[in-house]
Amino acid sequence: MTQLILEDQHGETTMVNMGPQHPSTHGVINLRLLLQGEVIAKIDPIVGFLHRSIEKLGEMTPYPGFLPYTDRVDYLSAMFGNQVYCMAVEELLGVEVPRRAEYLRVIACELNRIISHLIAVGTMAMDLGAFTPFLHAIRERETVNDFMERICGARINYSYMRIGGVPRDLEPGLDKDILKFLDRFEKFIPEFNRLITGNEIFVRRLIDLAVIPAADAISCGLSGPNLRSSGVDYDLRRDRPYSAYPEFEFRVVTGEGYRGQTGDCYARYWVRIDEMLESAKIVRQALLGLPEGDVKAKVPRKITPPKGEVYSAVESSRGEMGCYLVSDGGEQPLRVRFRTGSFTAMTVLPKIVPGLMVADLTAFFGSLDVVAPEIDR
Amino acid sequence: MSSTVFDYFTNIRNAFTSIFHGLAVTFSYLFRKPTTIQYPDRIDTPVQQMLPPLFRGILEVDVGLCIGCNLCEKTCPLGCLRTAVVRDPETNQRYITRFDVDISKCMVCGLCSENCPTGAVRHSTEFEASTANMVNLVIRYVKPGERIPVHKPVKGEESPGLPQNEPIARAHKEWDEPPPVDPDQVRGRVRWKNDGAPEEEQSS
Ligand code: SF4
Ligand code: SF4
């Protein structure tokens, strides 16, 4: 069908720059579009505007001092940056993290996933012109942010984890408050679904749009919710267990095409909605089964891991977040490298977007849930 | 794609009912308590007092508690803190002669306050730091020329720490007269080794 529309044109193309400052790109990304009429013939994502050379900074900073920088890799899910870096250094050092600390990390990470997915679904609705759901999502997010503030003292750039554990225990009474919130949150999601997810106009706007077939998703290296919505049942939390995840029961959500088909924009939206409920489940299990014990293993103040290299990966809210660390036995890493889900999500654009209308690109880009600083780092 | 007339009308009905569901949710919020508060006016308690005690705000320092170990300066990844300690050769008493915090660079990560053995450097709940002049963001806790004897913790006794939520020295204060700031030393780049801090003594 798209081929037909292209042939209807008289071979005239226009080059349009979408971004670097565009409300629907969620950050500084330049999408260079070649348009034939209203249809996109070619797309060229130009990234790198937000490059902060975090990897280079890592090579200049001692191991413990680099931790706050890992927040800034992906500011919407800073916990995962913390965790992947701490896991890498701990593996280099051979430090065993206490079980209570692992549980606290899981609680913090899953709360962070809820925050991040709320933003994702909220901004996606906002991109399509529905502003109210965004405010509802933000309201819930603020509540979780308040918990984050009580867990670690900050609302966005958490810097919560430390090499060897977490710096402090939960403050008394916080677990009860979080459980109370989870009860409310599990009622909020159906309300949110009534508000926007089930809205026929919203559904019609998204179903069958920009389908990413499973084979394309795998070959482009997509991961996380974007991969799972294409029907690929792959989740690092279950398939390459780390931290305390093997001890929890949860369902890996895949886009089964609840409306429309597997791998369309609506499936990507739905996977995120469903994953929030799964995260809530994990937080509840972790809070109820919180083991006693220390929260931080003994690590020397000056960290000098032995020579070696290590790769650790966590399932962040935007896909696999990996950290590759090379140590030369010194106080600073020889090489730090981050693998992030948003960057690989950009590679799928030239495959899927040609043939879409400009207005559909907004919906598609919103459904990928990329965060610009995470692309460039 | 709807192919029959029946589908066509079903779609229209679905659209109407789903919009009605959404509007019902919105309408129900008309009768709930508002979740937002007006900032900065129209609040009874300042936001600073509503924040949890763990909140990592602008750093504040009680120099009277500092043992001059220089750990905070060493742990800060950005070099926001500058301390200097001198030893009186006659009495062997050590004095802190410099304690500068550059809060314009600080990313409130909490590494320094965590490593401080006595709790002399800690986070306040203060966060409003906007000022017309960047120099105001360099807080000097020891006036130039002043010498403050280092704190001697009593063995076996918990360090008193600082009272939570009670600002000792409001971190954000305007200088009557901006201090002469050596731009090289305070606003340097990330430099870890030997960046020309004043003569200081190694901690024992
Ligand atoms: S809070 Fe972090 S950035 Fe700020 S002075 Fe302390 S260590 Fe440095
Ligand atoms: S770590 Fe604490 S005691 Fe040591 S120099 Fe810094 S403020 Fe003083």
Side-chain angles (χ1 to χ4, degrees), chain B residues 30-108:
Chain B
L30 209 54
F31 307 104
R32 298 192 203 178
K33 270 215 316 243
T35 40
T36 48
I37 53 170
Q38 301 271 338
Y39 172 82
D41 51 338
R42 293 198 219 165
I43 35 177
D44 306 328
T45 7
V47 179
Q48 282 87 344
Q49 284 165 31
M50 295 198 274
L51 293 169
L54 275 183
F55 182 76
R56 299 202 306 259
I58 295 168
L59 287 177
E60 59 187 13
V61 182
D62 187 349
V63 189
L65 277 180
C66 178
I67 56 168
C69 65
N70 203 12
L71 262 181
C72 50
E73 187 182 329
K74 277 189 215 140
T75 32
C76 179
L78 298 176
C80 314
L81 300 151
R82 279 284 173 276
T83 59
V85 179
V86 293
R87 185 196 290 269
D88 195 325
E90 280 159 31
T91 54
N92 245 2
Q93 169 74 22
R94 296 156 74 233
Y95 295 97
I96 302 158
T97 52
R98 181 178 182 197
F99 208 118
D100 293 353
V101 183
D102 186 352
I103 58 175
S104 64
K105 277 199 295 190
C106 174
M107 54 178 168
V108 287

Side-chain angles (χ1 to χ4, degrees), chain B residues 135-149:
Chain B
V135 170
N136 286 330
L137 294 176
V138 180
I139 318 278
R140 302 206 131 165
Y141 286 94
V142 180
K143 289 200 202 82
E146 201 182 354
R147 301 200 306 173
I148 295 179

Side-chain angles (χ1 to χ4, degrees), chain A residues 220-338:
Chain A
C220 286
L222 285 192
S223 53
N226 292 337
L227 177 70
R228 287 195 285 279
S229 58
S230 293
V232 185
D233 192 3
Y234 180 69
D235 190 323
L236 284 178
R237 287 176 292 174
R238 185 198 61 196
D239 299 330
R240 210 171 118 190
Y242 59 93
S243 196
Y245 280 109
E247 295 167 37
F248 303 120
E249 252 176 57
F250 59 98
R251 190 165 52 90
V252 174
V253 186
T254 49
E256 296 123 354
Y258 152 75
R259 296 279 301 264
Q261 346 173 353
T262 306
D264 60 3
C265 288
Y266 193 71
R268 281 189 283 280
Y269 174 85
W270 182 253
V271 161
R272 293 198 166 86
I273 291 273
D274 234 8
E275 245 175 42
M276 282 194 274
L277 288 176
E278 292 305 312
S279 291
K281 242 196 257 172
I282 298 177
V283 176
R284 190 188 297 273
Q285 289 173 34
L287 278 175
L288 292 177
L290 199 59
E292 294 296 323
D294 277 349
V295 294
K296 194 158 185 266
K298 286 251 174 305
V299 261
R301 190 168 267 144
K302 198 176 198 172
I303 292 178
T304 46
K307 263 188 196 164
E309 52 188 279
V310 67
Y311 178 78
S312 66
V314 297
E315 179 76 35
S316 106
S317 37
R318 281 174 194 77
E320 175 179 344
M321 186 184 257
C323 178
Y324 175 65
L325 212 59
V326 185
S327 156
D328 59 351
E331 235 183 286
Q332 302 160 1
L334 189 68
R335 176 84 172 97
V336 185
R337 159 104 188 117
F338 280 98

